[in-house]
Amino acid sequence: MADVVVPRDLQARFTAPADIAFATFDARDGTTIRWAAVAPDGARATVVLLPGFTEYVEAYFETIRDLLAAGIAVFAMDWPGQGGSGRYLADPEKAHAWGFEAHVGALRRFLETIVLPAGTPGPLTLVGHSMGGHLATRFLEEAPGLADAAALSAPAYAVGVDSPLPPGPTRLVVELVVALGFGESWALGAGPWERQGKRRARLRPLLSSDPERAAILERWAEVNPTLRVGGATWGFGRSFVRSARRVVEPQRLARIGVPVLIGSAGRDAFTDSGLHETVAANIPACRVLAYRQAQHCLFLESDAIRGPWMSALIGLATSGRLPAA
């Protein structure tokens, strides 16, 4: 945290927990991946926290504090191309990828070389939001035996009407644009962070109905330019579209051998929440908790929504069992 500026007048709940430590490791492709870890005395379980698209660990300090208070050790990782991790292009504000295999591989290396060797206590639960939930699902399909459970907030298996990613129906367009050599160019609606102020203001209420929590991502980015991402490239959009087709295949979902809890936001404009029940039906042990009044991010929602979600997540993380129907 030494090189990260704390926003002025930030409420204590949004600040870094005491003793949280940041470090980096190199993914197989050489990209530097930033991660953080913190544990309470006598921890009884472990969570690996995986942020959503363009997000970073700092946005989850309140959630990390709640997990610590419940006796849960927390590891968190910034995905390649965002947060404090390395970028794929010279312009650090472009979220780019040539495929999500690198993201899944970075998570696997994180667990195998850092999290598990640390002697993590109790069940190990992957906790992913939005794109982080999508990637966690792929990881569970492709790397069995490394996690004991998963809790996924608004997992992005398909995009919604206000998603920052190119929508699924434009798959052929995305493929064509990349084939024409524009894979590293901004996708529609994306651009430099400084020019996205009006768009962020429009989308903020769709992130959460709680104004203070909805603003937390922007507050950290305002004073820390290195955390900023202005949006996706066409290459990233193609990576998402291709991965979205694979991750929901029934035969792949059937491979998941751990309990999975999905928190589905009823008013989600960024992802297609209608897919959550379909996905859940193909995972051997899965339950969907529907929050009909929730906007996209359950971790940033009002206490009336966030509280029950956090309680269910903590119950799963500490017991390794899904909540009763």
Side-chain angles (χ1 to χ4, degrees):
M1 286 292 291
D3 58 344
V4 175
V5 178
V6 178
R8 186 176 180 181
D9 299 325
L10 196 65
Q11 293 184 36
R13 60 184 168 136
F14 296 129
T15 61
D19 300 325
I20 191 168
F22 283 80
T24 62
F25 69 94
D26 289 338
R28 291 190 182 277
D29 63 3
T31 304
T32 299
I33 306 298
R34 186 181 72 151
W35 61 279
V38 62
D41 292 335
R44 55 183 176 146
T46 302
V47 152
V48 176
L49 189 58
L50 306 169
F53 178 64
T54 77
E55 295 180 345
Y56 31 81
V57 174
E58 286 82 355
Y60 287 84
F61 282 159
E62 182 183 19
T63 293
I64 293 172
R65 286 175 173 272
D66 290 343
L67 294 171
L68 293 172
I72 298 173
V74 181
F75 288 80
M77 187 188 84
D78 284 343
W79 293 110
Q82 64 186 56
S85 291
R87 305 298 199 256
Y88 289 121
L89 301 179
D91 185 342
E93 293 192 8
K94 286 183 174 180
H96 183 67
W98 291 117
F100 283 168
E101 291 74 19
H103 293 63
V104 175
L107 177 56
R108 181 165 193 154
R109 175 164 282 203
F110 184 42
L111 264 67
E112 289 182 336
T113 66
I114 295 171
V115 179
L116 294 174
T120 52
L124 190 154
T125 301
L126 302 182
V127 175
H129 170 63
S130 194
M131 187 188 84
H134 173 126
L135 293 169
T137 305
R138 271 199 61 172
F139 178 84
L140 292 172
E141 293 171 347
E142 299 171 15
L146 296 178
D148 300 307
L152 312 177
S153 159
Y157 301 126
V159 296
V161 293
D162 278 304
S163 171
L165 299 173
T170 65
R171 179 176 62 86
L172 295 179
V173 174
V174 172
E175 294 283 354
L176 177 61
V177 171
V178 175
L180 290 173
F182 296 100
E184 296 182 4
S185 300
W186 293 109
L188 291 177
W193 191 89
E194 289 281 6
R195 301 179 189 174
Q196 296 284 314
K198 290 184 178 180
R199 187 170 189 270
R200 288 195 301 274
R202 179 178 67 83
L203 296 180
R204 198 177 302 127
L206 304 180
L207 183 67
S208 165
S209 63
D210 185 298
E212 290 182 323
R213 289 187 176 124
I216 197 62
L217 278 162
E218 188 164 1
R219 293 205 61 193
W220 281 99
E222 282 174 344
V223 295
N224 293 281
T226 58
L227 295 178
R228 297 175 183 175
V229 172
T233 64
W234 286 107
F236 188 99
R238 184 181 70 170
S239 299
F240 176 83
V241 169
R242 287 181 172 182
S243 184
R245 296 182 70 196
R246 294 180 60 193
V247 74
V248 298
E249 292 175 357
Q251 67 271 26
R252 289 176 59 92
L253 293 168
R255 301 175 193 165
I256 297 177
V258 300
V260 176
L261 182 66
I262 295 177
S264 187
R267 295 183 175 180
D268 196 341
F270 295 150
T271 67
D272 183 358
S273 59
L275 273 177
H276 294 160
E277 289 286 356
T278 302
V279 167
N282 288 289
I283 297 175
C286 185
R287 184 176 176 202
V288 177
L289 297 180
Y291 300 90
R292 302 194 183 283
Q293 302 304 311
Q295 302 291 352
H296 176 58
C297 188
L298 301 181
F299 293 105
L300 298 179
E301 257 295 357
S302 64
D303 289 346
I305 296 169
R306 182 180 182 275
W309 166 244
M310 288 298 298
S311 294
L313 185 163
I314 289 169
L316 172 67
T318 53
S319 70
R321 297 188 298 272
L322 293 170

